[in-house]
Amino acid sequence: MNNFDDIFSGQSDQPGWSEKPFDKEAWAAKKQEERKGLYELADSTAVAISQDGEKFRQYLDVQSRFDRYSSTNALLVLAQMPQATQLKDFEGWKEAGASVQRKPVSIRILEPGKEYQREDGTRGTSFEVKRVFDVSQTKGRVRNAPAVSYDDRVLLKALIHRSPVPIQSVDALPNNMGALYDHDQQVIFVCKGMGAADIFRSVSKELCHAEIAGMRQEYSRGEAAFAAYSASYMLCKKYGIDVSDYNFSRMPASFRENDARGIRDSLTEMRDSANQVSARMYRVLEQNRGAKSKEQER
């Protein structure tokens, strides 16, 4: 095997050259400080959205667009570029046929790195700072994902696909509720006669209640209400359902008065419950899209 190290020899003869060894510890300290700064930014943003309903709604909008991002990264995107719609690193945009504009301001997020063993023997994951850029910071032809519209019946069938509990139609529910997850009976009751959008909003919320009940050791409808409501909002945003009636002006004290870590944990629960529902929907919608494509080919 050829050795090419010799091509770097002789560089020290150049004017102003001084050979400096790579300082591994200084590099690691710099990276650690950068990670620390991002966690502090995520924490301060979490506290900010817990005090302001409109900022909280903006967070949910970001998380619904970037549903594969962790809640921490969604907070970081919100803090740095809340209007972002598509994010990739340099290589990602290159593969997409675009180039990043000159001297853009990057959006910094945290990417899972290598696993390591803690002193107590448990396994942990290290995180590295990753710089990404929004499509608005690129030039060249970027193929935007085509806007997708779904037939109401198909969308609702996808919503209830493999529901974690049975769903049953009833003539009426208390307090004019559109749907209700009954934890004791392990059933979601749905009021008859609603329109498609009302069904989606009410059933998605109750499905998120059911998902949250499965995540928590102890479930209380009142304690889970805000998380289920917020998760339902994200599902509606993702699938094009009107969200104008969602109101976050009065957030519960348990959320507003929590510390940054507790708020981030709540945001993760919202994201995870919405993603559980969305993952089941995706399978049905993809199958329907594939069936339509075959029909068009015929």
Side-chain angles (χ1 to χ4, degrees):
M1 180 177 179
N2 292 329
N3 188 315
F4 299 99
D5 293 343
D6 60 295
I7 66 174
F8 302 106
S9 64
Q11 297 295 313
S12 57
D13 296 335
Q14 297 181 16
W17 174 270
S18 61
E19 189 171 343
K20 298 179 180 178
F22 175 66
D23 192 332
K24 186 176 180 180
E25 291 185 359
W27 175 261
K30 179 182 178 181
K31 290 297 180 182
Q32 177 62 26
E33 189 65 24
E34 191 173 15
R35 285 192 295 270
K36 180 182 177 183
L38 287 185
Y39 279 117
E40 289 175 350
L41 178 59
D43 282 349
S44 62
T45 306
V47 172
I49 68 171
S50 73
Q51 306 301 311
D52 186 320
E54 187 54 38
K55 286 183 179 178
F56 180 73
R57 183 190 289 268
Q58 290 174 4
Y59 161 80
L60 294 178
D61 290 345
V62 170
Q63 184 73 87
S64 68
R65 290 197 299 272
F66 300 100
D67 55 354
R68 294 186 180 182
Y69 277 24
S70 67
S71 57
T72 297
N73 280 335
L75 287 166
L76 291 174
V77 174
L78 175 67
Q80 296 170 85
M81 188 180 284
Q83 72 275 20
T85 56
Q86 292 186 65
L87 295 174
K88 300 179 188 292
D89 60 12
F90 274 112
E91 288 301 315
W93 282 121
K94 184 177 180 181
E95 291 174 4
S99 59
V100 177
Q101 295 171 357
R102 188 179 181 185
K103 295 183 179 180
V105 177
S106 65
I107 301 163
R108 296 173 300 155
I109 60 175
L110 292 162
E111 183 177 52
K114 297 180 180 179
E115 286 192 353
Y116 65 93
Q117 186 169 332
R118 300 187 182 95
E119 292 182 359
D120 61 3
T122 59
R123 304 292 297 180
T125 302
S126 62
F127 286 83
E128 302 296 333
V129 176
K130 182 176 182 178
R131 286 171 169 76
V132 294
F133 306 89
D134 184 50
V135 63
S136 62
Q137 298 173 294
T138 66
K139 52 186 178 182
R141 293 186 177 182
V142 179
R143 290 185 178 181
N144 292 320
V148 179
S149 60
Y150 301 102
D151 174 81
D152 288 342
R153 185 170 293 274
V154 171
L155 190 63
L156 293 177
K157 283 186 174 181
L159 178 65
I160 64 174
H161 176 66
R162 292 189 176 180
S163 168
V165 296
I167 298 178
Q168 180 180 329
S169 295
V170 293
D171 292 327
L173 287 169
N175 302 318
N176 295 318
M177 296 178 71
L180 173 65
Y181 166 63
D182 189 315
H183 185 60
D184 293 332
Q185 298 187 64
Q186 288 292 289
V187 176
I188 292 175
F189 296 104
V190 182
C191 194
K192 296 178 181 178
M194 292 189 293
D198 287 332
I199 293 173
F200 192 100
R201 284 187 288 265
S202 57
V203 173
S204 65
K205 179 166 64 69
E206 300 310 308
L207 283 168
C208 290
H209 265 286
E211 294 293 346
I212 291 168
M215 296 175 187
R216 295 184 176 184
Q217 291 183 342
E218 295 184 6
Y219 169 79
S220 160
R221 181 172 182 85
E223 292 177 358
F226 182 63
Y229 185 76
S230 301
S232 172
Y233 174 93
M234 288 191 281
L235 286 167
C236 290
K237 286 290 289 189
K238 182 177 177 66
Y239 292 102
I241 304 297
D242 179 48
V243 293
S244 58
D245 286 342
Y246 283 78
N247 188 338
F248 298 101
S249 61
R250 296 180 64 183
M251 292 184 285
S254 59
F255 186 70
R256 287 185 287 105
E257 297 171 4
N258 213 335
D259 60 15
R261 178 62 183 271
I263 294 167
R264 288 201 285 120
D265 287 346
S266 295
L267 298 179
T268 297
E269 183 180 61
M270 297 170 194
R271 169 195 176 274
D272 289 351
S273 60
N275 280 1
Q276 289 284 354
V277 177
S278 187
R280 295 194 298 267
M281 293 183 66
Y282 178 80
R283 298 185 189 100
V284 176
L285 296 174
E286 281 299 297
Q287 289 173 0
N288 181 73
R289 190 179 293 116
K292 277 189 174 182
S293 297
K294 288 182 179 179
E295 287 181 6
Q296 292 173 354
E297 289 174 1
R298 292 173 186 171

